[in-house]
Amino acid sequence: MKSLTRSESLLLLGLFIFLFFSLGTSQLMLYSLDEAKNAECAREMYERQDWVVPTFNGQLRTDKPPLHYWVMMGSYALFGVSEFSARLGSILCGMGTILLIFAFAWRHFNARVAWISALVLLASLHVGVQFRMAVPDPYLIFFLTLAWVSFYGWYQQRKKILNLAIFYTSLGMGILAKGPVALVLIFAAIGLFLLFQGAFRKVFRLWLVPGLAWTLVLALPWYLYVHEATSGAWTEGFFLKHNLERFKAPMEGHGGFFLITPLYVLIGLLPFSIFIPQAFVRAWKQRKEVPSLAFGLSIAIVVIGFFSFSGTKLFNYTVPSYPFVAVLIAAFLDSVLDQEMAWKKLRPSLITYGVLAALLPVAFYLGLRLDPVVSHLAGWAIIFLTFPLGAAAAWYRFRHGEFSRTMLALAGSFVVTAVLFFQLAYPIIDRENPVNQTISSINPEEKVIAYKQFNPAYVFYLNRSVDVVNTPEALQEVLSTEPSVIVISRTEFLPELSTFSELQELARKRDLFETPTTILFRKTPPPLPRSL
């Protein structure tokens, strides 16, 4: 059978990735806090045709720069406002990221490394979740990957002007995706790589002045426009709160010990993360002789190391390292798969994974069973039996010396699990979220307000702003002037809300896998006077 060319492989792989990442995206509500706020912010900007000032619920949103909002606005214009439209840009970024790393591995290693790299990423449930979400991270990951790949093309003396143009354009897009962190990560990784190669002076050949000038031409105008339009409020909120303060200290309870960040990578890249220690050791030993390994290792060290020092630690922060960690894993596996004594190097990792795979279905079952909202759906944990089944199949192939099929068994079990989870189980679990369970209680003509805190998805699905009041006095004023009012809040504020006799509880629903419980009230008319 004729082997596929690189172009044919890219085309088929790209089609598969798009279909794979699209699974479930139209069935899942924009329920998580970040997704709901991002999608609604883009909708508000789209309705105003405002490409400068991001708002959520009519209020300035300073969390992130505008690139993902712009892409969502374009998607809304083409396909209408929907869950799929909000997530389409992330799907395309996921497809682009994997195709980029596939082409990179094919060119600088070989076809097998390219395919294994793609399998490592496609098998990761965390990658699957990340590139299905309406958040800015997929855009940052794609443009960081594009910048690094184009830099390495320049370093290898290939199409130097074109690669530099792509590099500085990607840098500008990264800054518009998530801010100055793109600049820090890209140049820190490049600097470490050049140090490994003893070629740090080459950084001065990067056409830094004209290149960075072009980056500023792309990124700076919006920052200046939004600064002027908001009288500096967006600039202060973004740079001080969402960059400096987030790095200095944990925000919103997202902290943790130093080693939790590399632990995130080990969990996020299962099942192939079992080979990360060996892959990193091999890359370190060969960093002088094999520049492509040194390059991937540099990116992994910088991204993981940078966010290990960050006060705020989130699972998604380390994902920019995944594409190049995948290459390191693939290169390691490629180096041992054809060796007669390969089993000695792979056996400890496979045994470790076998034990872990046996525990994963139990962990998912307990996670569902212990959550009162979805405990009745704990039976869906059965789909995660694919993990131990895949581990058993991989071990069987391994014992028969079929090492390539061993890798396929590992990847296949996770890909099948992802299809079952995103297409079948997750949509059913998602229907239990409080927004989906309670929004039918709200009549279109009713006034809706929130007391102190509420789930932001209400704004997106009501397609209108929700006024927020923060004191009993402000709530009393609204109740005294509106004939019919819906009040959305949380049970933690019940002591204050219970003093309002005119409020009748409509619904109460706990958040999925979270502690807050959403509660809805309706103002009821006073009772009619009793006739004498």
Side-chain angles (χ1 to χ4, degrees):
M1 181 178 176
K2 179 185 174 182
S3 298
L4 294 173
T5 66
R6 187 175 67 165
S7 298
E8 292 169 340
S9 299
L10 285 168
L11 181 61
L12 290 175
L13 181 61
L15 179 61
F16 174 81
I17 295 169
F18 181 81
L19 295 174
F20 180 60
F21 283 161
S22 297
L23 286 175
T25 51
S26 297
Q27 303 177 60
L28 302 175
M29 290 186 71
L30 293 160
Y31 162 70
S32 70
L33 185 148
D34 287 337
E35 276 202 296
K37 287 191 172 182
N38 290 324
E40 171 61 16
C41 181
R43 186 184 67 81
E44 293 180 19
M45 295 175 73
Y46 172 63
E47 291 182 350
R48 298 195 313 268
Q49 286 300 294
D50 182 353
W51 295 80
V52 177
V53 181
T55 61
F56 169 76
N57 200 26
Q59 302 298 312
L60 179 65
R61 177 166 165 79
T62 64
D63 294 52
K64 296 296 182 288
L67 185 61
H68 63 302
Y69 303 139
W70 291 347
V71 175
M72 289 182 201
M73 291 167 69
S75 188
Y76 291 164
L78 290 173
F79 307 109
V81 178
S82 69
E83 293 89 350
F84 177 77
S85 296
R87 293 167 173 145
L88 178 58
S90 298
I91 294 169
L92 294 175
C93 285
M95 182 179 71
T97 299
I98 296 177
L99 292 181
L100 276 172
I101 214 66
F102 181 87
F104 173 85
W106 188 303
R107 178 178 293 277
H108 299 292
F109 293 93
N110 57 54
R112 186 162 68 175
V113 172
W115 281 109
I116 296 175
S117 299
L119 280 177
V120 171
L121 296 173
L122 287 170
S124 162
L125 291 180
H126 187 209
V127 169
V129 170
Q130 191 67 68
F131 288 117
R132 285 179 170 89
M133 295 189 70
V135 293
D137 300 87
Y139 301 82
L140 177 69
I141 296 162
F142 171 74
F143 283 110
L144 287 180
T145 304
L146 182 57
W148 281 320
V149 166
S150 59
F151 162 80
Y152 196 75
W154 168 85
Y155 180 81
Q156 294 291 327
Q157 306 291 318
R158 290 179 42 253
K159 300 179 181 178
K160 297 183 69 171
I161 295 178
L162 176 61
N163 275 309
L164 283 180
I166 296 172
F167 173 75
Y168 286 109
T169 300
S170 301
L171 181 56
M173 293 299 101
I175 294 172
L176 284 172
K178 217 166 178 184
V181 68
L183 191 72
V184 173
L185 294 177
I186 287 173
F187 278 106
I190 288 172
L192 182 60
F193 165 68
L194 293 175
L195 282 175
F196 280 160
Q197 297 301 296
F200 190 77
R201 289 176 178 269
K202 282 193 174 184
V203 75
F204 300 109
R205 302 179 195 171
L206 269 172
W207 293 10
L208 288 172
V209 174
L212 290 174
W214 171 242
T215 295
L216 291 177
V217 166
L218 293 174
L220 189 58
W222 178 83
Y223 282 88
L224 295 176
Y225 283 137
V226 77
H227 179 83
E228 181 179 359
T230 62
S231 300
W234 188 93
T235 306
E236 180 180 352
F238 176 68
F239 285 99
L240 295 183
K241 178 180 178 181
H242 292 289
N243 278 271
L244 291 179
E245 291 183 20
R246 189 176 288 271
F247 189 82
K248 287 167 55 179
M251 287 188 65
E252 300 164 349
H254 298 299
F257 64 102
F258 181 83
L259 292 178
I260 198 171
T261 302
L263 183 61
Y264 283 157
V265 178
L266 291 172
I267 297 171
L269 278 175
L270 282 172
F272 287 96
S273 59
I274 58 175
F275 303 113
I276 283 181
Q278 293 158 296
F280 275 39
V281 169
R282 177 175 180 268
W284 176 261
K285 289 179 178 179
Q286 298 187 12
R287 68 190 185 280
K288 298 288 187 183
E289 298 79 21
V290 186
S292 49
L293 288 178
F295 188 57
L297 184 64
S298 301
I299 292 169
I301 290 173
V302 164
V303 175
I304 298 170
F306 179 82
F307 290 113
S308 294
F309 285 102
S310 173
T312 304
K313 294 178 172 65
L314 288 170
F315 211 161
N316 58 292
Y317 282 178
T318 56
V319 182
S321 69
Y322 285 12
F324 293 92
V325 173
V327 172
L328 298 181
I329 294 170
F332 163 71
L333 292 173
D334 180 66
S335 71
V336 301
L337 287 182
D338 292 330
Q339 296 178 14
E340 291 185 4
M341 302 300 289
W343 63 274
K344 287 189 174 181
K345 294 185 178 181
L346 300 182
R347 186 170 63 175
S349 297
L350 290 172
I351 292 174
T352 301
Y353 174 67
V355 174
L356 183 61
L359 296 175
L360 285 173
V362 178
F364 280 104
Y365 174 81
L366 292 176
L368 293 172
R369 194 74 182 89
L370 295 175
D371 190 296
V373 180
V374 292
S375 60
H376 61 290
L377 299 175
W380 279 102
I382 193 173
I383 66 173
F384 296 105
L385 288 176
T386 51
F387 294 154
L389 291 175
W395 182 254
Y396 176 82
R397 295 297 184 183
F398 175 74
R399 290 298 302 268
H400 285 77
E402 299 172 340
F403 301 133
S404 294
R405 292 187 178 185
T406 300
M407 301 303 110
L408 287 174
L410 288 176
S413 64
F414 269 71
V415 171
V416 169
T417 303
V419 172
L420 295 174
F421 180 69
F422 288 111
Q423 192 66 22
L424 298 178
Y426 196 17
I428 293 174
I429 295 171
D430 181 65
R431 290 174 201 154
E432 300 295 323
N433 76 69
V435 178
N436 185 61
Q437 292 286 309
T438 61
I439 201 163
S440 61
S441 304
I442 303 173
N443 298 324
E445 69 278 2
E446 284 185 296
K447 171 78 173 178
V448 180
I449 65 171
Y451 186 72
K452 293 191 176 180
Q453 293 183 354
F454 73 113
N455 191 295
Y458 281 104
V459 183
F460 183 84
Y461 287 101
L462 289 171
N463 195 21
R464 52 182 159 135
S465 295
V466 174
D467 294 335
V468 181
V469 297
N470 292 296
T471 64
E473 293 76 17
L475 176 59
Q476 182 60 62
E477 183 178 350
V478 175
L479 295 177
S480 63
T481 57
E482 295 288 342
S484 180
V485 183
I486 293 288
V487 180
I488 307 172
S489 189
R490 292 179 174 176
T491 51
E492 60 195 273
F493 305 117
L494 267 177
E496 300 162 49
L497 292 167
S498 61
T499 61
F500 295 88
S501 59
E502 62 266 55
L503 291 181
Q504 178 185 5
E505 184 177 325
L506 288 180
R508 184 185 300 207
K509 192 71 176 178
R510 189 171 179 266
D511 285 7
L512 289 177
F513 310 112
E514 298 284 349
T515 53
T517 299
T518 293
I519 189 166
L520 267 67
F521 294 91
R522 175 179 280 125
K523 174 189 173 182
T524 57
L528 295 173
R530 298 172 63 181
S531 59
L532 297 176

